[in-house]
Amino acid sequence: VPETGGGGARSCLAVFHLPREYDNFRLVDAAGKERGITVLMQRGSRLEAFFNAQPGEKLRLELSAGEKKHKMAELTSGLIHVAKKFTGRPVNSEEEFRSCWDSAVFAGAGFAERVYAGVNPFSPGQNSLHRYYGYINIDKAGEYTFFTASTDASFLLIDGRIIASWPGRHSVWGGLSGEFSGRVRLATGRHNFEYLHANFQSAYYAIAAWMPPDAKKPEPIPGTAFTPVSRAEVGRTFNGEGIAMPDFSWTQGPMLDFYGERMFMVSFFPRDSVRRWQWGDGTTGRGDERTHFYFRPGIYTVVMETDAGGQEQQVDVASIYDQTFVNDHDALSMVEAALKQQKNIGIQPEGYRFLAEALIALKQAETGSQYYRSMLLRQEAVPPEVVFDFFRNLILAALLEKENYEAAEMELTRLLGTLKQPESLAAARLEYAVLLLNCLNRPDEAAAQLAVVEKGKLGKDIRPVYDRLQADLILMEKGVIAAKEYYGRMDSLTKKMNRSQILQSNGVVINIRNCLVLEKYQDAMDYLDKLEESRPEMRLEPELQLLRAKALMALGRPRAAAVCFERVLRLEPTAVVGAEAALFLGDYHWERRELSLARNYLHQVLEMAPRSREAVAAEKLLRQTGRETER
């Protein structure tokens, strides 16, 4: 126990790492007398506990196998925070809080400096209960005013009596000016302090403040008022003969979360020179390694091997709520370290999915390309969908955005030649078929590629893409009537909607038009995609496809827009819609100096809408193409 300069026993916090084979312990002093010890939290082999001791005193933790039986310690200094999870019923009194507390599920416990929190450190703030308790020291006798401000219900008690309370459900803002307070006259010395907080919402705030005698304004109760705890220095472990045993400690560092995929960093601190680590996830490490990344929660048996022997500990890797707040710079450093681990010793299968999501989220295109190549070499270790999903989101997406379709085709065919997993192979073939039809306008080749796709190997989320592509190919080959029949057999939200709901859903078209007017082109594409996903038959609406083509044009993808405009003409559009599509195609092919095609489309404009503005523009272009031909 460290020297503090003050006399008297005080509570001391210690973190022990128990060897795996020992699950019973007791704390004894120099005379062999048992001393109480209270466990705050235990996660695997890591034990966080407190006991009472004099400054400079040396105590011994005796370990053995068997049933846990140890004397409990009473708190003498400091402020303990215990959190639980509950169902979220209203709390309007101290009695209701105590009732909820008795049936709630433990979430975590530890010492807090003071009651001044904007986050629950143990779990999400929603539907959580919190009890802060300890002793507050009063240096000057007199009348004290105590305040509470919190999200939802809070109660501040001194010596077991409520002084300030704010029950019910509410935001924190109504209490930040000191509206909820109470006064109490206190003598000098130590007084029991308790703060109860029931939080129902995702936001979390808990503030206990005071105004001592002669103070002019309230302030958060400082940590010094609670006589902070000491932190004991933990020595190494010895066997029954007094010989030092191989020993190590560990702590869980930051946790990264990208779209639900998680990575946990654990740091290890050995007391001896290490020959080798067994990390408990099927990988082994060199002796100089001190950090390891895990990609799913669980208890891992970590083995440290030294020249003098080894030690095993149970490392409990868990989601710790307050360890998710990592800036992008530090997150990137962690991801780069995890990539080195993947290259040198390997990672869990879930790690490949996490790294793929992380590199995309952190916009690391160059590193992502290297990682993609490494995944191709280790496909047997990678979850089936990860390789292709990563290729599509990082590499293919960039090529499609730039309309570099030939390069996209080359990369896809190269990928098809290397993929080994049936699920990834089916998804890649489907993507290739979509590229051939919607971007390269080669329907015959698209149909041939789709014919070899094993639909049963596709994930449920992309099977509708297969069905829509099949319908598009039927439209190309057999026309609108046959395509309508095929679309009629597909799952559609339309089949579950009444007439009013259908009319309301069709109002999305107005939103799409507004997006185009406001130049929110990607929003327009998102509306179109969602509409066609829920109601696939809407792909047969010429006006919708015209709007999609215009959005593609505005997004700088004229080649894809041209394919979409051709689709409009196959859907038997009205004269106005058809003339607009044909005019674009005439202009598009004229700019590419495909004059014969250009004239064909421009003549279609004149046939469909001879008195329209499109017809005037078409005649002008026809004259220009005529002069171009003469040259």
Side-chain angles (χ1 to χ4, degrees), residues 245-266:
M245 299 173 61
D247 198 6
F248 70 95
S249 60
W250 60 270
T251 184
Q252 184 172 320
M255 178 187 77
L256 297 183
D257 187 321
F258 289 103
Y259 309 109
E261 304 298 334
R262 295 178 174 180
M263 181 176 78
F264 307 87
M265 184 177 81
V266 182

Side-chain angles (χ1 to χ4, degrees), residues 23 31 93 103 110 123 151 201 206 233 253 255 258 262 280 290 349 384 468 509 514 532 571 594 596 606 628:
D23 52 9
S93 67
S103 60
S123 65
T151 43
Q201 55 194 286
E233 181 180 344
M255 178 187 77
F258 289 103
R262 295 178 174 180
R290 298 291 182 268
R468 291 196 293 269
V509 178
N514 289 338
E532 292 179 2
L571 292 173
E594 296 167 346
S596 178
L606 298 178
E628 193 74 24

